[in-house]
Amino acid sequence: MDLITIVRRSRDEESPRKRQRLNTENSPWENETDIGVTACAVSPQNIIAFACYGNLKHNMSTPTDQNMTVVVCDSNTPWDTHIVKSCAAQVTVLEWDQSGHYLLIGDTAGNAEIWTTLTHLLNEWTKVANISLPDEPIQAGTFFFNGKKTVFNCQNRESVSYLDKYTQMDMKPTIRGFGGRPLQGFLVVGMTGLVQAFVMGGTKGKTTNVEILGGIRLAYSYVDLAWTKDGEILAIACTGIPLDPIVYCKLTIQKDDGVEFSCLLDEYRLRSETLTGLFPLRSTASDMRVWGINFSSREDPSGIFLLVNGIGSGTLQYWELSEVERTIHSLFSTSAATSRYLQWQCMCVFNCNSRINSVCPSRNVWVSGSEAGAHSQHHLVITTTCGELLCLHRDSMKQVGLLSIADRSKCENKTVSSVCFTATGNALVAFDNSATMFICKLSPITDPGGPLTIPYALMSLEYCLITGIDYWDVLIGLRSTMLDSLCERLTDCFNQQSIGLQQLLQYRLLNIKLAIYRLGPSSSSKAGLQYGIIMLNSVYSALKSLLRPPPELFNQDRAPADSLTAVLSSKIPEVGTEVDKVLLHLEVKEFTVEPSTLITVQHLIQWTVTFILRLLNNLPDWRAATTTRGTMCDMLRDPKLLNMFRELLVIFRIWGLIRHSCLPTFSYMENVDVIATLFRILTRLLQTSEPDESLLDECCQLSSQLIIPDIELSLPARGIASPMLFNQLPLQYEYGIHPEETSLAKYDGVEGEGKVDSIRHVYLGSKPHNVRYCSRCKGISIIVKGLRVGRSAAAKSWDMRWQMSCPCRGMWSRQEVQ
């Protein structure tokens, strides 16, 4: 359990004025300068959301009647925070849905709201749904289960196929809609046991009836929710009083069939079914008190964790509901009969020398047991009143990690206020009572307490590759000596999959390899290879999608550009290395595009030709690296990429005949046909296994024939997952203050006088407005939504391709005007 990052509040001098209190009888704040965190959650895309009172940074101001703010930030740049909403009531519940697009916010005023980023910008949030339980503080909430869960099967760890190692669990969604598709929605539980759900869909969505948890209203202090295999929602609640029962219920949501007159047709009904409860404490334990209760996992839990505190010590108990037999007395049976019933049993106990504040199990349990029928493996963390974080393993309850918040802050009264795991459970995010954020990396789940190994990192990255979950929390646990070998093993395993699966997951694989190589300070060329393949594949598919052959040439069995692929691969003697001779064997009408559309993709044509020029111009310098793998020179050794380059050049030649202004423009020193020259060099490279001296000389002459624009072949990393990860840890930051970047992390195309759009590859000027920036790299891009500029369908399609995330998979944020 190693500490990676500490993010503190910026130092300021403010007078301790009294804070106005509205609807906050039990508010944690007292003065204007008080600050703290009441809840936190991490999304599957590693976006951290936390609710805090007080100002995190100098320029963060809220109205006098808005005491709480819900803040989000990318875990890679935790100092760059953005406000989701402000409210007067204390926020008690924060939950992300399984996709990471929706955020549930519940407060003590009984309001539960769903917020999302409709524009896919991290600093622009919109409320899309809400329900209200007046004067009923929200104690817990969860989203509906979508029925999708993938786990790593430890019994097939030696298998080559992804489909054997990572199995799909047979689980059902909470509620189905038309065609059997899962419906989205959420459910919340109030302090006195009132339960209500909201089914999202249509224009407004529908709320269900209000149900009572367990059929009786009590003042519940602790409530937790989970899902079953059948999609039902389990609820466990307790008041904290020693002799009160722990209520265990099952909540189901069904579409009403109209039988009951209390509910109209096309409505949804919430039902509560009481299950076997639990009385954990005896009457003699007068000094003991229940301090918290949690399910062992969010998806199909096997049991519950119970916190019991005494005067100066605490106990973590794990309980399971098991079936036991009881012999029936002879007075009630003529033979020796037995009856079976369900009973809660305490399976294991962890004793602590100090009182325990809370327990946080890993929500997404994805590593199955090593034996058939064994429980899934995961970590859990408990927080103590003395400011310690204890990391335990689920099976053995053995302590595998310890972090003292009081030692880090050099203050004795520091305690942990909120803690949560990342999606894969490889990192932990914690907040103390002064809103200081701590990000820690954990030991492998399969080897508790041990160092991160390449096989476990490979297993975690492949799981992210299959499910689409973000892999940032795996990257921060890597060491600099693991990068090359990890990428090689990841590529070798990927190449052994089926062709269809490789085509489906290729983009994610390139993203993962790009992120890994960018961690190394001397791996920029290897990272540039992955970035180049990502952009070239995107340009290739986007430009080919523009082809609309006439009806007489339309063939449903093949794509429009298949004839070009066949001509270039047939090695026709008449073609040779001349691009114009290729046109004689093609039906030019098959590649015809509207002239008005061609001018809108000129920036993509310009970047592609410039990229090829840079590759060929640098070929003589890379010749010394012929024995190494994974560098930019590999693009000129790959026949598949060389044929892709040649196909694009032929298409550009045809489009130039339709509209000459769509061709790339350069400052020429000699009269040279760029497209013909590049096609000739690429063809010769394809025909020879190793470039000869005459070919290298021709590549060297390119820089003397025309001025090749200087473009960045990769996007340098920023934030924690960058070369600074291997510096002295922990990394220290302050909210709202951007750290100084090293020279290796600077992107000249962005930091220089002329900034470059990393999506459209056009110059934006020295001080562009209305731009967005990435949270994982130095890329920026202009925001076209809201601009009164006519765009073609091709331009809109290219912009939509990168609307949700950057090519490096980082989240976008709108740049604030200084």
Side-chain angles (χ1 to χ4, degrees):
M1 193 170 179
D2 299 327
L3 187 60
I4 299 294
T5 305
I6 300 177
V7 188
R8 291 187 172 89
R9 182 191 186 190
S10 57
R11 278 81 173 172
D12 55 355
E13 299 293 336
E14 294 184 0
S15 59
R17 296 171 295 172
K18 287 288 185 179
R19 182 186 296 273
Q20 183 177 357
R21 299 173 120 180
L22 296 177
N23 194 21
T24 53
E25 296 180 359
N26 299 319
S27 300
W29 57 78
E30 181 67 26
N31 297 323
E32 186 73 22
T33 55
D34 289 346
I35 186 171
V37 173
T38 59
C40 71
V42 181
S43 76
Q45 306 304 323
N46 282 314
I47 302 299
I48 303 173
F50 59 98
C52 66
Y53 53 91
N55 294 335
L56 290 177
K57 44 191 178 182
H58 293 288
N59 57 353
M60 179 179 173
S61 59
T62 57
T64 56
D65 60 339
Q66 306 295 309
N67 299 315
M68 292 290 301
T69 54
V70 178
V71 181
V72 295
C73 63
D74 193 302
S75 55
N76 187 58
T77 53
W79 62 84
D80 192 10
T81 57
H82 312 288
I83 296 178
V84 177
K85 63 164 290 188
S86 299
C87 59
Q90 179 182 346
V91 175
T92 55
V93 174
L94 286 178
E95 289 288 341
W96 292 94
D97 73 323
Q98 288 182 278
S99 64
H101 295 154
Y102 294 101
L103 176 63
L104 170 62
I105 303 174
D107 56 33
T108 55
N111 300 315
E113 302 172 348
I114 300 295
W115 291 72
T116 186
T117 56
L118 295 178
T119 57
H120 304 289
L121 297 175
L122 201 55
N123 49 358
E124 291 185 1
W125 291 80
T126 305
K127 183 173 67 174
V128 294
N130 71 287
I131 58 176
S132 178
L133 297 174
D135 299 326
E136 181 80 5
I138 305 299
Q139 289 290 89
T142 186
F143 285 90
F144 295 165
F145 185 52
N146 61 9
K148 299 178 181 179
K149 179 175 174 60
T150 304
V151 298
F152 175 78
N153 191 353
C154 291
Q155 298 178 359
N156 295 336
R157 65 169 64 240
E158 301 299 331
S159 176
V160 175
S161 175
Y162 288 164
L163 303 181
D164 294 335
K165 289 192 293 184
Y166 304 92
T167 58
Q168 188 77 25
M169 296 288 291
D170 186 15
M171 301 183 71
K172 300 178 181 179
T174 301
I175 185 170
R176 296 181 183 271
F178 180 76
R181 63 181 180 87
L183 292 181
Q184 294 181 333
F186 64 97
L187 177 144
V188 293
V189 181
M191 186 181 68
T192 63
L194 294 184
V195 187
Q196 191 173 20
F198 185 93
V199 182
M200 301 171 64
T203 56
K204 295 183 179 180
K206 295 181 180 294
T207 57
T208 65
N209 58 301
V210 178
E211 188 71 11
I212 299 177
L213 196 66
I216 184 172
R217 299 185 69 177
L218 298 174
Y220 296 112
S221 300
Y222 309 102
V223 182
D224 197 23
L225 302 172
W227 304 307
T228 65
K229 288 185 177 180
D230 296 329
E232 299 162 335
I233 298 177
L234 296 178
I236 193 103
C238 67
T239 61
I241 301 176
L243 299 182
D244 280 0
I246 294 179
V247 180
Y248 184 46
C249 299
K250 180 173 65 175
L251 303 172
T252 57
I253 304 171
Q254 297 176 347
K255 194 169 185 178
D256 201 316
D257 53 6
V259 176
E260 299 187 15
F261 296 101
S262 60
C263 194
L264 301 177
L265 289 174
D266 200 25
E267 298 289 334
Y268 297 93
R269 173 160 289 275
L270 173 66
R271 301 180 186 273
S272 175
E273 179 184 350
T274 304
L275 303 178
T276 304
L278 172 64
F279 289 85
L281 301 183
R282 307 300 180 184
S283 59
T284 55
S286 57
D287 58 337
M288 304 295 288
R289 182 179 176 87
V290 177
W291 210 257
I293 189 167
N294 291 86
F295 282 105
S296 58
S297 66
R298 175 57 59 89
E299 303 166 354
D300 191 24
S302 58
I304 63 172
F305 292 111
L306 188 67
L307 287 183
V308 180
N309 281 332
I311 299 177
S313 62
T315 302
L316 175 64
Q317 303 175 1
Y318 176 69
W319 294 72
E320 283 187 359
L321 189 62
S322 56
E323 195 176 52
V324 297
E325 292 185 354
R326 176 176 293 179
T327 305
I328 300 177
H329 197 273
S330 59
L331 292 176
F332 303 98
S333 177
T334 57
S335 60
T338 59
S339 64
R340 304 180 68 87
Y341 66 99
L342 294 175
Q343 180 180 347
W344 287 98
Q345 293 183 348
C346 184
M347 308 304 294
C348 53
V349 176
F350 177 80
N351 296 315
C352 186
N353 296 327
S354 59
R355 293 165 63 90
I356 303 176
N357 278 338
S358 62
V359 58
C360 177
S362 181
R363 291 302 192 184
N364 183 27
V365 179
W366 58 277
V367 179
S368 63
S370 56
E371 299 179 359
H375 294 303
S376 300
Q377 304 180 55
H378 64 93
H379 292 312
L380 60 113
V381 167
I382 60 175
T383 64
T384 64
T385 55
C386 59
E388 289 182 340
L389 285 169
L390 301 179
C391 183
L392 311 178
H393 193 251
R394 153 69 188 87
D395 290 339
S396 60
M397 284 289 186
K398 178 183 177 182
Q399 180 177 329
V400 296
L402 171 65
L403 176 64
S404 177
I405 300 298
D407 294 342
R408 292 292 177 178
S409 59
K410 299 180 181 180
C411 183
E412 297 181 355
N413 60 351
K414 293 295 183 182
T415 59
V416 180
S417 60
S418 188
V419 61
C420 56
F421 282 93
T422 56
T424 62
N426 288 300
L428 184 76
V429 179
F431 293 88
D432 65 5
N433 54 357
S434 63
T436 303
M437 182 192 302
F438 301 88
I439 300 179
C440 312
K441 65 177 180 180
L442 302 178
S443 60
I445 299 173
T446 55
D447 184 19
L452 183 68
T453 59
I454 292 181
Y456 179 78
L458 178 66
M459 179 183 74
S460 301
L461 292 175
E462 287 179 345
Y463 175 76
C464 296
L465 182 68
I466 293 292
T467 59
I469 294 177
D470 188 61
Y471 41 82
W472 177 87
D473 51 346
V474 183
L475 298 181
I476 63 173
L478 300 179
R479 297 183 297 274
S480 58
T481 56
M482 300 170 56
L483 305 182
D484 293 334
S485 56
L486 179 60
C487 284
E488 291 178 2
R489 292 192 57 178
L490 188 64
T491 304
D492 294 339
C493 294
F494 182 82
N495 292 334
Q496 299 180 28
Q497 309 306 312
S498 62
I499 300 299
L501 191 60
Q502 289 184 29
Q503 293 176 350
L504 179 65
L505 303 177
Q506 183 185 20
Y507 176 70
R508 293 180 184 174
L509 175 71
L510 294 173
N511 279 129
I512 294 176
K513 294 173 63 176
L514 171 63
I516 294 175
Y517 280 130
R518 291 195 309 186
L519 296 177
S522 58
S523 302
S524 59
S525 181
K526 297 180 181 180
L529 173 63
Q530 316 306 321
Y531 170 73
I533 297 176
I534 290 175
M535 293 304 302
L536 288 171
N537 285 337
S538 301
V539 171
Y540 182 70
S541 60
L543 296 183
K544 283 183 63 177
S545 64
L546 300 179
L547 302 179
R548 296 291 186 270
E552 62 272 11
L553 297 177
F554 178 75
N555 189 344
Q556 193 175 3
D557 298 333
R558 62 180 179 85
D562 286 353
S563 60
L564 174 59
T565 305
V567 170
L568 293 180
S569 60
S570 62
K571 298 181 181 179
I572 301 176
E574 293 82 3
V575 174
T577 60
E578 301 296 330
V579 64
D580 292 329
K581 292 184 179 180
V582 179
L583 305 185
L584 301 177
H585 299 271
L586 297 175
E587 188 67 41
V588 180
K589 291 182 180 180
E590 190 176 356
F591 302 90
T592 301
V593 181
E594 291 292 333
S596 59
T597 302
L598 291 178
I599 197 62
T600 61
V601 295
Q602 194 274 338
H603 56 94
L604 299 181
I605 300 175
Q606 177 77 40
W607 181 86
T608 304
V609 176
T610 305
F611 188 85
I612 298 175
L613 279 171
R614 297 293 301 177
L615 287 179
L616 295 178
N617 186 58
N618 293 335
L619 179 60
D621 298 334
W622 291 333
R623 190 186 181 189
T626 54
T627 57
T628 61
R629 294 176 55 87
T631 61
M632 292 292 294
C633 189
D634 283 0
M635 300 188 72
L636 300 177
R637 296 172 180 162
D638 190 351
K640 183 178 179 180
L641 290 176
L642 289 177
N643 281 320
M644 183 189 299
F645 291 152
R646 296 169 72 217
E647 287 185 31
L648 288 173
L649 291 175
V650 173
I651 294 176
F652 297 162
R653 172 68 85 181
I654 298 175
W655 288 352
L657 300 176
I658 300 174
R659 185 160 187 173
H660 187 269
S661 58
C662 75
L663 292 178
T665 58
F666 300 97
S667 298
Y668 297 96
M669 299 180 183
E670 298 180 7
N671 189 11
V672 58
D673 189 345
V674 177
I675 293 181
T677 302
L678 294 181
F679 186 86
R680 181 176 65 256
I681 297 176
L682 292 174
T683 304
R684 292 181 59 187
L685 281 175
L686 189 62
Q687 295 172 352
T688 59
S689 58
E690 193 66 28
D692 53 13
E693 293 297 332
S694 61
L695 185 58
L696 294 177
D697 292 341
E698 192 170 359
C699 293
C700 293
Q701 292 176 1
L702 291 174
S703 59
S704 60
Q705 293 173 344
L706 71 163
I707 298 178
I708 303 176
D710 188 11
I711 63 172
E712 184 64 34
L713 300 180
S714 65
L715 295 177
R718 65 188 294 255
I720 299 174
S722 63
M724 69 174 60
L725 179 65
F726 306 120
N727 296 339
Q728 185 176 0
L729 299 177
L731 303 174
Q732 307 269 351
Y733 302 109
E734 290 186 359
Y735 292 112
I737 299 179
H738 292 262
E740 296 183 359
E741 299 174 353
T742 60
S743 58
L744 293 176
K746 290 185 177 181
Y747 178 23
D748 295 334
V750 175
E751 298 295 335
E753 295 181 357
K755 297 186 178 181
V756 178
D757 192 318
S758 59
I759 298 301
R760 299 168 189 85
H761 308 290
V762 295
Y763 286 97
L764 302 178
S766 58
K767 295 181 180 180
H769 297 285
N770 196 31
V771 296
R772 55 186 178 177
Y773 62 93
C774 177
S775 60
R776 302 288 175 90
C777 70
K778 295 294 295 179
I780 65 172
S781 176
I782 192 171
I783 302 175
V784 296
K785 187 175 182 179
L787 295 179
R788 298 180 180 179
V789 178
R791 294 184 297 150
S792 66
K796 292 180 181 178
S797 176
W798 180 258
D799 295 337
M800 289 291 293
R801 186 183 293 264
W802 315 106
Q803 183 179 8
M804 296 184 63
S805 63
C806 177
C808 72
R809 206 179 172 180
M811 293 291 293
W812 294 113
S813 298
R814 184 187 293 272
Q815 182 174 342
E816 299 177 358
V817 180
Q818 301 295 334

